[in-house]
Amino acid sequence: MRELILIRHGEAEHLVNGTGGGWADTPLTRKGLSQADLTGRKLRDLLSRKKVNMYTSDLARARETAFIIGQYLDVEPRIDSDLRGLSLGVAGEMNKEEAAKIKKPLTLPIFDWIQFPEAESQQMMQHRVNRFMDNNVNQMNETSIIVAHGNSCVSVLYWWFNIQRELLTKMIKPSFTVEPCSCTHVLADDASGKRTIKYLNDSRHLEQMNA
């Protein structure tokens, strides 16, 4: 049995200051740092006897999250730019009002729509996430962790469950939601080929922040 744990990065500055995000290299907020710390503690307790490897996007908010978690697991994350989220092009540094002025008209299928100048489509992001998974799956331990972004975590799930373009082009919005520093745990039985979700978007370990 192989298992993969997907972690979306903690709260980042663009999530609170109203800018687009994308490939804009925004760091974690103080809350995001605390979320990463709590996630590291959770995974230390969950995976204490397992050999783990970890991968992360190269953008600061994911990298910071991964290295905090890695300290609890005594694992150094491997950095790969293919795990970046969706590029918003020139809109990544803009606030939402500015970005709305340069947003391109919707084209179908939405999966192929490039929303802003110099941005990418969901299909383009899916292609590079697929490339990352294809290149690394054989080197992954029985337990692996990926720290990435909301939409690239979803792309990993599409790869994991072999959801193909024919279905993806029919989707109006992503099939899964992942919140900052939530954990999504999926399993693969190599003998039967069965793949399952153990839990999705689990943020119970963060509840003490609101206590």
Side-chain angles (χ1 to χ4, degrees):
M1 181 74 72
R2 286 184 295 137
E3 59 183 343
L4 174 65
I5 299 174
L6 291 170
I7 310 291
R8 182 182 175 184
H9 62 76
E11 182 187 81
E13 287 187 358
H14 74 275
L15 295 176
V16 296
N17 67 16
T19 54
W23 288 5
D25 205 11
T26 56
L28 295 177
T29 62
R30 291 181 64 182
K31 179 179 179 180
L33 292 168
S34 296
Q35 289 173 329
D37 186 77
L38 289 171
T39 305
R41 293 172 186 270
K42 169 192 171 71
L43 294 178
R44 177 193 60 193
D45 296 341
L46 181 68
L47 306 173
S48 60
R49 297 185 180 182
K50 295 184 178 181
K51 184 178 181 181
V52 177
N53 52 15
M54 184 186 299
Y55 305 85
T56 181
S57 157
D58 64 324
L59 295 179
R61 54 193 182 273
R63 204 172 62 244
E64 291 174 2
T65 302
F67 276 86
I68 290 171
I69 294 171
Q71 289 177 349
Y72 282 98
L73 302 175
D74 196 25
V75 174
E76 183 171 349
R78 304 177 194 178
I79 300 170
D80 198 306
S81 61
D82 275 349
L83 288 171
R84 289 185 178 195
L86 184 71
S87 171
L88 301 179
V90 298
E93 300 279 359
M94 297 179 176
N95 63 44
K96 294 181 179 179
E97 291 75 18
E98 293 171 332
K101 296 176 182 178
I102 63 167
K103 194 169 188 176
K104 295 183 178 183
L106 175 65
T107 58
L108 298 176
I110 292 176
F111 197 60
D112 293 328
W113 178 34
I114 298 177
Q115 300 183 50
F116 303 102
E118 302 177 27
E120 66 178 353
S121 66
Q122 293 177 56
Q123 168 62 43
M124 296 162 70
M125 177 182 64
Q126 187 69 49
H127 174 75
R128 58 179 167 76
V129 171
N130 287 353
R131 179 175 62 202
F132 166 82
M133 294 300 293
D134 290 341
N135 289 341
N136 288 280
V137 65
N138 290 331
Q139 286 75 48
M140 289 181 175
N141 293 332
E142 288 190 4
T143 301
S144 296
I145 299 169
I146 292 177
V147 180
H149 308 263
N151 41 36
S152 55
C153 284
V154 171
S155 288
V156 172
L157 289 173
Y158 291 158
W159 181 93
W160 188 264
F161 291 106
N162 196 30
I163 301 175
Q164 298 296 310
R165 174 179 168 82
E166 181 181 4
L167 179 57
L168 293 174
T169 55
K170 296 177 182 178
M171 293 181 181
I172 303 300
K173 59 182 180 179
S175 303
F176 307 98
T177 299
V178 285
E179 300 297 334
C181 266
S182 66
C183 297
T184 294
H185 195 164
V186 293
L187 307 172
D189 187 330
D190 292 330
S192 67
K194 184 178 180 180
R195 299 196 171 200
T196 57
I197 296 177
K198 187 173 183 180
Y199 48 78
L200 177 68
N201 195 32
D202 182 13
S203 58
R204 288 172 293 178
H205 57 288
L206 305 177
E207 291 176 355
Q208 61 184 279
M209 294 184 65
N210 302 317

